[in-house]
Each structure stands twice: as C-alpha cells, then as structure tokens.
Amino acid sequence: MRPGAWSTLGSPAAAAALARSGVGRVVLDAQHGLWDESSVLAALATLRGTAPPDVEVLVRLPREDPAWTGRVLDAGADGVVVPLVEDAAAAGRAARACRYPPRGGRSWGQLAPLWTGAVEDPARADARVRCVVMVESPGALERVEAIAAVPGVDEVFVGPYDLALSLGTTHAELLAATAPDDPLPRVVAACRAAGISAGAFGGAVEPARALAALGFDEVAVAVDATVLAEGAAAAAAALAGSDRD
C-alpha cells in the first residue's frame, strides 16, 4: 500500500509541505476542499519545483469535466480524480479527456514553458497521466467491473464515506465487511481483474490500515486540515500538562 495525503486548505505552501512529508501522492481536492482553478494552478506551479520526483500530484475535480481535466494536466498535474462516476460510459469520457488523439480528445496546450519546464511529448504524456475514477454509489458498485475494465482508466478509487451513506450503512460497518462479495473487496477484485490500481480514502491511520488490509494499493492516510488541527491540539495539550506539573 502506498500512503497518500489529501489537501483541502487551498494553500500551495501546505500542499508543498505534504509533498515533502514522505507520502507517495498528494491530491488537491477541488470538489470538497478550498481549491479553485487559480489556486490549483498556483499550487501545480509551486509543486513542479518543490515536490520530490517520485511524488504524484493529482487533482480531484469538482465534477467530470474535460475542460477542467485538460487545464490541470496542462499545468503539470500527474492525473485527475473524477468524482461520482456511475458507469463505463462516464469512465470512458474521463479517460478520453486525459489523453491526446487518437486515444482521446485532450487538446494540445501545455503550460510548462511558462515555468521554464520542458514540453512533454504527447505519447509520453499519455503514458504518464493517471485517470482515477471514483465509485461512490450503489449503481457504480454494481457496475464496478465494467468501470474498471474501461481502457484508459488507471485506478478505481472508493469514497467510503459517500459509499456507506448511499448503501445505508456506516463507515465502520463498510470497512468491517470483508467477505469477497462485500462492497470494498468487490472493488479490489474488479481492479485486480482489470490490471489496474485500487484506491480509497482513509483520512486517518486506522481506517487506512483497514483499507490496506482489504488490498487497496493507494490509500489517502492524512488530510492537511486534520493534521494541522490535531498537531496544534496535541502541542497545546502537552504544554498545558507541563504547566500543571
């Protein structure tokens, strides 16, 4: 399992700190986080010069959107995370938006020269980019095998909180369901059969461990806002305790 970090604060500096923390992936969350197009583009420019070369930087889009996809890939993102993908047709649209013709419909317009970067060859760009599609509903779960098999989809990523809500269960019960036909093992099996990665949002160490035990390859283990708040609270509590001694 490769641990990743989720960035919600809309801060390029915070995203750069996450990228240097030892994780293998940083996701800028423009769906539920504070990121907008301007801050995403600023962060990608910052991360080009500060992130270790083996750290992937992805953008979770607000929605399935070829224009957003092309924009962030042009700016240097290693891939996109597309929310609420319900079927193979939606997964196919997401995959095509990530690749240049003839494999897809991405328009040529890389921004690397603005930051003195090298323009990437289209074939190399197509091979490098990561198209990650999210499964978050009962309908998507029922079609997960077909979604995972779509050419150009590199990973199926589970949003376990949304999936639990939509299935009428709790997050804890979803993680504890480990039979082969249970939701999360079914996603992992579909990805294995298709030869692609299985990813999921953990958000903290213990859920991430449970997801790793289920076979997920890419797990978001930390969120910048949570790490900041918990770290400050722990430091304040430690100091308060020492004052009482």
Side-chain angles (χ1 to χ4, degrees):
M1 183 272 289
R2 182 171 68 163
W6 215 254
S7 179
T8 63
L9 292 175
S11 164
L18 287 178
R20 297 190 299 269
S21 69
V23 298
R25 170 187 285 180
V26 174
V27 178
L28 312 180
D29 186 355
Q31 183 190 23
H32 292 306
L34 300 178
W35 296 100
D36 59 15
E37 183 177 341
S38 294
S39 57
V40 165
L41 297 182
L44 292 171
T46 298
L47 290 164
R48 284 183 70 90
T50 59
D54 58 343
V55 175
E56 285 183 345
V57 180
L58 308 184
V59 178
R60 177 157 76 161
L61 306 178
R63 58 195 173 275
E64 179 202 326
D65 186 332
W68 252 96
T69 298
R71 189 76 165 149
V72 301
L73 295 180
D74 288 348
D78 294 305
V80 294
V81 180
V82 183
L84 297 168
V85 170
E86 289 294 314
D87 54 30
R93 291 193 299 270
R96 287 190 295 275
C98 289
R99 268 82 182 192
Y100 293 110
R103 292 183 63 191
R106 180 183 171 188
S107 176
W108 179 261
Q110 294 184 31
L111 299 178
L114 297 179
W115 302 308
T116 67
V119 173
E120 193 168 34
D121 169 91
R124 179 180 172 83
D126 280 357
R128 181 182 60 81
V129 72
R130 301 281 292 170
C131 177
V132 180
V133 299
M134 294 193 72
V135 166
E136 306 175 84
S137 72
L141 181 64
E142 282 304 305
R143 295 182 282 272
V144 69
E145 290 82 8
I147 290 170
V150 169
V153 168
D154 301 293
E155 180 177 322
V156 172
F157 192 95
V158 176
Y161 290 95
D162 280 331
L163 185 58
L165 282 171
S166 64
L167 290 173
T169 187
T170 67
H171 179 250
E173 289 168 339
L174 182 67
L175 292 180
T178 59
D181 291 335
D182 284 330
L184 298 181
R186 180 175 176 179
V187 173
V188 172
C191 291
R192 293 286 182 275
I196 65 173
S197 298
F201 179 84
V205 171
E206 290 310 314
R209 282 178 175 156
L211 290 163
L214 288 169
F216 285 92
D217 308 293
E218 303 278 356
V219 179
V221 69
V223 180
D224 54 2
T226 304
V227 170
L228 179 63
E230 290 181 349
L239 185 59
S242 66
D243 285 346
R244 289 193 295 268
D245 293 340

